Amino acid sequence: MKKFFSLIELNKAIKEKLDVVNTKPFQKRKGNRQEAFLEEERFALIPLPHSPYEIASWAKTVVQPDYHIKVDYNYYSVPYDYIKYVVDVRVTRTIIEVFYKNIRIASHKRSNKSGGDFSTIPDHMPRDHRKYASFDKEFILEWGATTGPATLLTIERILESYPTEKQGLKSAYALMKLADKYSIERIEKACERVLSYTPRPKLKSIQTILKTGHDKLPVEDTSKQLSTQKNDNVYGFTRGADYYGGNNNDN
């Protein structure tokens, strides 16, 4: 029995023995194992994977109306045609893959952020959303100007309210998406409304105005309605007694 004192020595000895075994002639047919492999089997080989195998977990989820799925509090896009479809999601340490009926419909690099990150592929968007995929400050301001002066001013105030331009653009983009659900006319009216209440408008306030339909009311009607509510926060900001010119002692 031969002893080996390292893995390198052992592998070298195994290779030598393999060469002997593979070149040894067959007993009942012509040739040897090496020749049989080259002539009969090698053509069927496929390349090895470029990356090592990773353990994956699977889950089922429903594609949301914004054509994204949620994984670990981050969001990944799929083709918008699959909205409301149940899909299978394969999750590894580095990749998010989405399958529908065993066919892969989307693949994303897994986000390493703790939550709230969006990974969106432009081809997954409806055509009318793609124009927003690579928007910048110039684009968002141009859109605001075409929508109306109140919308433009609101966007400028929103951009000014954030410490970084990227954060402000994200909020402005959400305002643009509201126009898909409502209309640019209602967006302009809602911006007029919110600017009449505060010089520092917020997206949440505009969403509330649109949801409640207050953008459709005459300004004076809304003012009367609000005057009956003390210290209210209907639109996401608080007004005390000084705002109404009263002393708030008439409880």
Side-chain angles (χ1 to χ4, degrees):
M1 180 181 292
K2 189 174 181 179
K3 293 184 178 180
F4 300 94
F5 298 96
S6 71
L7 185 61
I8 295 175
E9 290 182 24
L10 177 59
N11 284 333
K12 182 179 179 181
I14 291 174
K15 185 178 186 305
E16 292 172 353
K17 290 297 183 182
L18 282 175
D19 290 339
V20 173
V21 172
N22 288 333
T23 56
K24 183 179 180 179
F26 290 126
Q27 294 180 355
K28 297 182 179 180
R29 55 176 288 189
K30 292 181 179 181
N32 54 48
R33 288 181 174 83
Q34 180 69 18
E35 292 171 348
F37 166 74
L38 295 174
E39 295 173 3
E40 302 172 12
E41 299 176 359
R42 186 171 65 171
F43 77 92
L45 295 178
I46 60 175
L48 292 172
H50 293 293
S51 57
Y53 176 78
E54 288 191 274
I55 297 176
S57 61
W58 289 82
K60 287 187 179 292
T61 189
V62 177
V63 180
Q64 298 302 306
D66 64 353
Y67 48 88
H68 285 73
I69 61 167
K70 183 178 180 181
V71 179
D72 293 337
Y73 303 101
N74 291 313
Y75 301 86
Y76 303 87
S77 68
V78 302
Y80 73 93
D81 307 275
Y82 294 93
I83 289 174
K84 296 185 180 180
Y85 281 57
V86 177
V87 294
D88 295 299
V89 184
R90 181 177 181 269
V91 181
T92 72
R93 183 176 57 87
T94 57
I95 297 294
I96 303 292
E97 295 178 296
V98 186
F99 295 81
Y100 179 70
K101 293 186 176 180
N102 298 322
I103 297 175
R104 188 173 67 178
I105 60 174
S107 178
H108 295 267
K109 183 179 179 181
R110 186 173 182 179
S111 174
N112 57 10
K113 296 185 179 180
S114 58
D117 189 33
F118 277 81
S119 297
T120 305
I121 297 175
D123 286 345
H124 292 168
M125 298 178 170
R127 182 173 297 178
D128 57 344
H129 284 194
R130 293 180 191 177
K131 60 185 177 182
Y132 304 142
S134 58
F135 73 95
D136 54 16
K137 183 177 181 180
E138 182 180 353
F139 178 86
I140 191 71
L141 291 174
E142 182 180 346
W143 178 84
T146 58
T147 302
T151 303
L152 176 60
L153 181 56
T154 298
I155 291 173
E156 291 174 340
R157 297 285 172 79
I158 288 175
L159 293 176
E160 292 170 358
S161 68
Y162 285 90
T164 67
E165 183 176 287
K166 185 176 180 180
Q167 291 175 311
L169 287 174
K170 185 176 181 180
S171 185
Y173 173 53
L175 177 62
M176 293 175 68
K177 291 190 70 175
L178 287 176
D180 294 336
K181 182 177 181 180
Y182 298 98
S183 68
I184 58 174
E185 290 80 10
R186 290 193 63 186
I187 294 295
E188 175 67 9
K189 290 293 184 182
C191 289
E192 289 179 2
R193 183 77 59 184
V194 75
L195 287 170
S196 70
Y197 303 137
T198 175
R200 297 182 296 275
K202 296 184 180 297
L203 178 65
K204 185 176 180 181
S205 304
I206 298 171
Q207 290 172 323
T208 302
I209 290 172
L210 291 166
K211 185 176 180 180
T212 58
H214 278 75
D215 58 294
K216 298 178 181 179
L217 297 177
V219 175
E220 59 273 15
D221 288 353
T222 307
S223 299
K224 290 177 181 178
Q225 182 179 3
L226 291 174
S227 67
T228 63
Q229 304 176 44
K230 296 180 174 58
N231 298 322
D232 68 298
N233 61 351
V234 173
Y235 298 122
F237 43 84
T238 301
R239 301 186 183 87
D242 292 342
Y243 178 87
Y244 301 107
N247 55 23
N248 203 28
N249 291 325
D250 52 342
N251 291 330

